């Protein structure tokens, strides 16, 4: 809700809260979190510092809200593995991962922000840890859901430990791709094929993936 003087600066389609988060996103991208002062955020957003404190409490609250909003935006883009249930397990995994990489290519700022926060000086703050953990748990669950049919032939017993390890590897690989995207300018999609080949090879080596 836009209140008082906020209506002067906020655009017709954005609340003052969104205007502040848009400004924070730009500042974090250009200066990093530590380089984003409340005074800078006020200047960038065109809103008074009192509005920032009202909505977020402090600068750390801005950071957590920005991360949470970015996740929600990306979540709307990312496919769910169950969307491809009409395909064979390996083809299902390939379709999911390919589309997920394409979604990340549309929002590379998401993983850059997540990575910066996860290793930054405020990573142990409760509000940050809670948000980051929720995001990473969601990513891990998606990997497990995508991989399980590949390594459970004909719906048979699932090697849960093996799938958990692969899910951790997949999530870590996605984290690493954010660095490759940032420093090498390479897209996430450009790295999809090698990982798909790895999963296919592991499945076929164990006589799986043909369910």
């Amino acid at each position: 809700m836009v209140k008082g003087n906020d209506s002067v600066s906020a655009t017709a389609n954005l609340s003052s809260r969104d205007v502040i988060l848009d400004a924070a996103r730009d500042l974090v991208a250009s200066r990093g979190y530590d380089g984003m002062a409340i005074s800078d955020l006020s200047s960038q957003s065109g809103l008074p510092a009192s509005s920032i404190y009202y909505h977020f409490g402090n600068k750390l609250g801005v950071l957590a809200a920005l991360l949470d909003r970015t996740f929600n935006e990306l979540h709307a883009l990312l496919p769910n593995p169950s969307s491809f249930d009409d395909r064979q397990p390996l083809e299902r995994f390939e379709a999911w991962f390919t589309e997920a990489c394409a979604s990340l290519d549309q929002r590379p700022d998401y993983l850059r922000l997540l990575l910066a926060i996860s290793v930054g000086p405020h990573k142990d703050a409760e509000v940050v840890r809670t948000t980051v953990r929720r995001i990473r748990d969601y990513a891990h669950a998606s990997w497990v859901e995508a991989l399980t049919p590949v390594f459970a032939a004909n719906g048979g017993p699932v090697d849960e430990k093996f799938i958990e390890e692969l899910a951790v590897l997949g999530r870590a690989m996605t984290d690493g791709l954010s660095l490759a995207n940032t420093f090498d300018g390479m897209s996430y999609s450009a790295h999809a094929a090698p990982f798909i080949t790895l999963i296919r090879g592991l499945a076929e080596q164990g006589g799986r993936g043909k369910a």
Side-chain angles (χ1 to χ4, degrees), residues 1 15-22 47 51 55-56 65 69:
M1 179 176 66
S15 69
S16 56
R17 191 176 190 277
D18 285 327
V19 171
I20 294 167
L21 290 179
D22 285 345
L47 299 174
S51 182
H55 286 294
F56 305 103
R69 189 186 74 166

Side-chain angles (χ1 to χ4, degrees), residues 4-77:
N5 293 334
D6 289 3
S7 61
V8 176
S9 301
T11 63
N13 295 322
L14 290 177
S15 69
S16 56
R17 191 176 190 277
D18 285 327
V19 171
I20 294 167
L21 290 179
D22 285 345
R25 179 190 59 205
D26 294 339
L27 287 172
V28 170
S30 61
R31 304 182 185 181
Y33 172 72
D34 287 336
M36 182 185 72
I38 291 294
S39 58
D40 297 324
L41 192 52
S42 177
S43 177
Q44 180 83 3
S45 66
L47 299 174
S50 59
S51 182
I52 299 170
Y53 289 121
Y54 173 81
H55 286 294
F56 305 103
N58 52 36
K59 193 173 81 164
L60 195 58
V62 175
L63 182 67
L66 175 61
L67 181 60
D68 190 63
R69 189 186 74 166
T70 305
F71 167 72
N72 289 332
E73 292 171 348
L74 183 65
H75 181 266
L77 294 175

Side-chain angles (χ1 to χ4, degrees), residues 74 77-79 97-111 174-175 177-178 181 187-189:
L74 183 65
L77 294 175
L78 285 175
F97 187 54
T98 299
E99 190 166 320
C101 285
S103 297
L104 290 174
D105 284 333
Q106 295 180 51
R107 292 301 305 270
D109 58 307
Y110 160 71
L111 285 180
T174 308
D175 291 340
L177 288 182
S178 67
N181 179 275
S187 69
Y188 293 91
S189 297

